[in-house]
Amino acid sequence: MSRLRLASAATALLLLASCVSPHSGSMTSEAGPPPPVHPAPPAASPSYANALQAGVRRGPDVASLPIDPARAGAALDAFRTSCASLTRRNDTSGLTHAVDWQPACAAAASAPDDQAVPFFRRWFETAQVGEGHLYATGYFEPEIQGSQAPSLGYDVPIYGVPDDMVTADLGQFAPDLKGRTIRGQLRNGKLVPYPDRSQIEGGAIQGHAPVIGYTPDKIGFFFLQIQGSGRLRQPDGSVIRIGYAGQNGQAYTGIGKAMIAQGLLAPGQGSMQGIVGWLKAHPDQAQAVMDQNRSFVFFKLLNGPPLGALGVPVAAHVSVAADPAFTPLGAPVWLSADRTDAAGLWVAQDTGGAIKGANRFDTFWGAGEDAARIAGGMSARGLAYLLLPVGTIERLGNGGQTARY
């Protein structure tokens, strides 16, 4: 959300970062019942730069999809809020142009929510990217103990963006690197990697980054970083919200996969609940395990609802995080999933550090214990279809099939 989702809510096996990239939940509560056993994520697919390279083919008619009217109304509202970005944003998937979205967005402005199903049938067609194999996880907006002022026991700083971190757009130096950025710091005239998690927590950026709050919950804060935004419950009971402001440029590593490989968790026990339970039960080893994820997130104070990567509010049960190289941000998507709670119409409004590749989505579940439970156990498979403006697939050529597999 607002990058609430750096990954993306740790949820299925191996990724530990599920999305909407947001989580709220009771990350400070006990581990609870044994974690669910998740199937392994699908095998890695061939590497493509974007959806156009992966290949696109026409999917089923929108009229054939069993769209729930209430769900469609919520999706229409989410799509409507995304239109300001859709109609001006560069689509890195290669599938659409900003102008393609203008007719549907103009119609959405006046379409009543109770006519949402006809709206989607009129203005959209479905597209399958690559083989269409869906893998969906979940994220939520977590809540941990925190305080804007330092106090006894609140000794874990929550940093804002450092003043010595440099972001470089590699596309300015080489056309084939367009869209790629790196982050680092200058030392003796050279750009070097920015400090990693263990170095930052060891004090490497003290004096270079504002501290916007403190927490006594190092494990909870670790997971809040994965989600990308969350809530701080202050000692007086008041709540402040923080959201993603930046990241140190180090690669994200899902510690669930590493813990399984190291024999700390059994196969199938890499859910968020399982990982949290292990870390709390092994405080002497927890820091070393968390340090394996070298990525570190910086935050800012937020007002209002959680925001996704488009800068618009994300909605529980409606918004998903996606890889913008394969899904136009703001586009509706249809998930034909083996879990009924993941199946249906969603709108791609966020991104996540662990949400990469075609047909990879992170479903957002809001805040609270139920959201944490659903997101932490979400692991769904099936088929995914993008809903694109009518005429898009024909424009892409080959009679509506540009598949490369």
Side-chain angles (χ1 to χ4, degrees), residues 35-348:
V37 175
H38 299 299
S45 56
S47 177
Y48 297 105
N50 61 18
L52 195 61
Q53 288 189 14
V56 182
R57 63 173 52 175
R58 190 180 301 278
D61 289 341
V62 176
S64 71
L65 303 178
I67 302 176
D68 175 72
R71 183 73 167 269
L76 172 57
D77 186 60
F79 173 74
R80 191 183 291 123
T81 64
S82 300
C83 276
S85 177
L86 265 173
T87 52
R88 70 171 187 271
R89 195 172 192 273
N90 178 43
D91 177 11
T92 56
S93 74
L95 299 178
T96 67
H97 305 297
V99 68
D100 296 336
W101 297 95
Q102 291 179 358
C105 284
S110 59
D113 289 350
D114 62 1
Q115 293 297 308
V117 173
F119 167 81
F120 285 109
R121 290 174 175 172
R122 165 67 178 84
W123 295 102
F124 294 93
E125 60 190 13
T126 67
Q128 175 183 310
V129 177
E131 296 183 349
H133 296 320
L134 164 70
Y135 182 51
T137 50
Y139 75 105
F140 66 106
E141 189 179 19
E143 181 178 297
I144 63 173
Q145 292 177 283
S147 173
Q148 286 187 271
S151 59
L152 183 63
Y154 288 70
D155 54 0
V156 178
I158 300 171
Y159 288 114
V161 177
D163 61 13
D164 64 342
M165 187 171 69
V166 176
T167 299
D169 179 358
L170 298 183
Q172 295 182 340
F173 301 89
D176 59 334
L177 297 177
K178 183 178 181 180
R180 294 186 59 186
T181 60
I182 59 172
R183 298 181 182 91
Q185 63 180 186
L186 292 174
R187 290 184 187 170
N188 300 320
K190 294 183 179 180
L191 184 64
V192 299
Y194 204 74
D196 63 16
R197 173 177 298 278
S198 64
Q199 293 168 328
I200 290 173
E201 294 186 345
I205 65 172
Q206 284 184 3
H208 288 286
V211 178
I212 65 170
Y214 301 84
T215 178
D217 186 358
K218 182 169 287 190
I219 294 173
F221 181 53
F222 175 86
F223 280 84
L224 193 150
Q225 288 189 63
I226 291 174
Q227 299 302 314
S229 84
R231 305 176 181 189
L232 303 181
R233 176 74 62 174
Q234 300 195 96
D236 64 2
S238 63
V239 173
I240 58 175
R241 295 191 57 256
I242 60 173
Y244 178 92
Q247 188 259 358
N248 65 340
Q250 297 280 356
Y252 172 87
T253 297
I255 64 170
K257 180 177 181 179
M259 292 172 73
I260 291 171
Q262 294 160 16
L264 303 178
L265 292 173
Q269 298 296 302
S271 68
M272 183 185 71
Q273 293 93 332
I275 296 167
V276 170
W278 190 95
L279 293 173
K280 289 184 176 181
H282 301 83
D284 57 329
Q285 302 176 59
Q287 186 61 59
V289 170
M290 291 188 291
D291 284 347
Q292 293 179 74
N293 179 18
R294 297 165 62 89
S295 173
F296 192 93
V297 174
F298 307 109
F299 291 93
K300 60 185 176 182
L301 296 174
L302 296 179
N303 293 313
L307 303 180
L310 284 179
V312 300
V314 291
H317 304 237
V318 177
S319 300
V320 292
D323 185 341
F326 294 88
T327 300
L329 285 188
V333 299
W334 177 265
L335 305 186
S336 179
D338 59 3
R339 286 185 52 144
T340 57
D341 49 2
L345 193 61
W346 300 79
V347 179

